[in-house]
């Protein structure tokens, strides 16, 4: 059995262990599901009437942003889970087993990807209730969801590095989410970037969150709005794929290296 096959096999075993943990502690899944539903309802019904989106329906403008925000925030679970395993000595136990060293990280990010999938399904149903629709057909609709989950998986590796770098679950919970807020709100997720101050518009347009959101709007047909100039507005899908690849190229090796250091403490 090759090293890669062994790592994938052992990673799936660890992923099942993490999923069983969610089953035994359903509060983890319940609260990770309630938050995006609350965001959808609040923005659609409370702020939706006050925010004007020229040339489009705000609820359809909103949903891709909520989807991307949710999977980005959902990646924070990875940091919390790894910090918890370190604190409780689970990583030391894994080291004593004849298993691949990469299995813990592969299993953690895979289980969080499946958790994100469940949350996305619940969100899609909520979006349909408030008036959101996919106008481009089955395959482009599925392509949008695949791109969304790939982005969530990439973000999990950033959170993995954070979870392995801190010394407690409490710090991981704060550090895993605090950087997400400016990244999400300094984007086109909730308002067109053209409404931001001129100095912030280039940052928002090149933000990976903005690329993802605009890609989903194109794939799902939630368009009809003024687009940002240049590459971010003309090629959002290739740019989003590039961001995903860049994040994985940088943070997978860093996370694996940090895991080896953490396991050797």
């Amino acid at each position: 059995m090759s090293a890669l096959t062994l790592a994938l096999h052992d990673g799936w075993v660890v992923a099942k262990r993490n999923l069983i943990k969610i089953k035994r502690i359903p509060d983890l899944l319940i609260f990770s599901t309630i938050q995006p539903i609350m965001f959808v309802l609040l923005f659609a019904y409370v702020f939706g009437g006050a925010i004007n989106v020229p040339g489009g329906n705000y609820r359809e403008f909103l949903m891709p942003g909520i989807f991307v925000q949710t999977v980005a925030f959902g990646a924070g679970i990875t940091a919390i889970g790894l910090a918890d395993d370190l604190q409780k000595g689970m990583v030391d136990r894994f080291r004593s087993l004849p298993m691949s060293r990469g299995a813990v990280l592969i299993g953690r990010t895979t289980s969080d990807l499946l958790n994100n999938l469940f949350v996305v399904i619940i969100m899609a149903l909520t979006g349909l209730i408030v008036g959101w629709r996919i106008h481009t057909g089955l395959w482009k609709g599925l392509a949008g969801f695949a791109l969304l989950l790939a982005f969530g998986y990439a973000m999990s590796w950033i959170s993995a590095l954070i979870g392995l770098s801190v010394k407690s679950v409490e710090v991981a919970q704060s550090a895993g989410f605090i950087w997400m807020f400016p990244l999400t709100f300094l984007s086109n997720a909730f308002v067109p970037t053209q409404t931001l101050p001129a100095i912030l518009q280039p940052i928002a347009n090149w933000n990976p969150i903005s690329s993802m959101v605009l890609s989903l709007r194109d794939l799902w047909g939630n368009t009809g709005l003024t687009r940002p100039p240049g590459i971010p507005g003309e090629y959002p899908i290739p740019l989003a794929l590039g961001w995903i690849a860049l994040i994985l190229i940088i943070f997978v090796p860093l996370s694996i290296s940090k895991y080896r250091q953490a396991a050797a403490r």
Side-chain angles (χ1 to χ4, degrees):
M1 186 179 292
S2 68
L4 177 59
T5 303
L6 180 63
L8 293 175
H9 175 270
D10 292 345
W12 177 241
V13 173
V14 176
K16 288 193 290 185
R17 170 252 179 188
N18 294 331
L19 293 172
I20 291 172
K21 183 178 179 181
I22 293 176
K23 181 180 177 181
R24 292 176 179 173
I25 312 175
D27 296 2
L28 294 173
L29 188 60
I30 291 171
F31 284 103
S32 63
T33 305
I34 289 175
Q35 179 180 319
I37 292 175
M38 288 177 60
F39 267 105
V40 172
L41 297 178
L42 284 172
F43 275 87
Y45 291 110
V46 178
F47 300 112
I51 299 176
N52 180 35
V53 179
N57 179 294
Y58 182 70
R59 293 179 186 177
E60 293 210 342
F61 174 86
L62 168 71
M63 283 306 300
I66 294 290
F67 274 113
V68 175
Q69 182 203 47
T70 298
V71 299
F73 276 49
I77 298 174
T78 305
I80 296 171
L82 286 171
D84 186 51
D85 284 344
L86 280 171
Q87 193 172 36
K88 292 180 177 178
M90 287 301 301
V91 171
D92 292 331
R93 297 179 189 179
F94 287 138
R95 285 182 64 205
S96 66
L97 298 174
M99 60 187 292
S100 169
R101 289 295 179 90
V104 173
L105 294 177
I106 293 173
R108 182 78 253 176
T109 53
T110 300
S111 63
D112 293 340
L113 173 64
L114 295 175
N115 179 70
N116 259 338
L117 173 60
F118 176 79
V119 174
V120 165
I121 292 172
I122 299 298
M123 281 188 56
L125 295 174
T126 307
L128 291 173
I129 292 172
V130 301
W132 167 73
R133 297 291 184 272
I134 294 175
H135 303 285
T136 52
L138 176 64
W139 296 113
K140 283 192 175 182
L142 292 177
F145 285 112
L147 184 66
L148 177 67
L149 293 172
F151 180 72
Y153 184 73
M155 297 295 280
S156 287
W157 284 95
I158 300 178
S159 292
L161 181 63
I162 294 172
L164 293 168
S165 301
V166 300
K167 296 182 179 180
S168 71
V169 177
E170 293 77 14
V171 176
Q173 187 168 7
S174 299
F177 289 103
I178 193 169
W179 64 279
M180 292 283 192
F181 284 96
L183 189 69
T184 302
F185 286 94
L186 190 59
S187 72
N188 62 2
F190 303 114
V191 296
T193 56
Q194 292 83 354
T195 64
L196 298 175
I199 194 172
L200 296 179
Q201 288 184 23
I203 299 173
N205 290 335
W206 284 93
N207 185 338
I209 297 286
S210 294
S211 300
M212 275 299 308
V213 172
L214 189 54
S215 297
L216 296 185
R217 288 177 182 147
D218 285 352
L219 288 169
W220 292 340
N222 305 142
T223 55
L225 306 168
T226 304
R227 306 174 72 87
I231 293 175
E234 294 176 11
Y235 306 102
I237 297 175
L239 187 57
L241 291 171
W243 276 117
I244 292 170
L246 182 63
I247 291 170
L248 290 173
I249 289 170
I250 293 174
F251 286 95
V252 169
L254 287 177
S255 297
I256 293 173
S257 176
K258 194 66 180 180
Y259 173 76
R260 289 173 177 168
Q261 295 176 22
R265 292 174 185 169

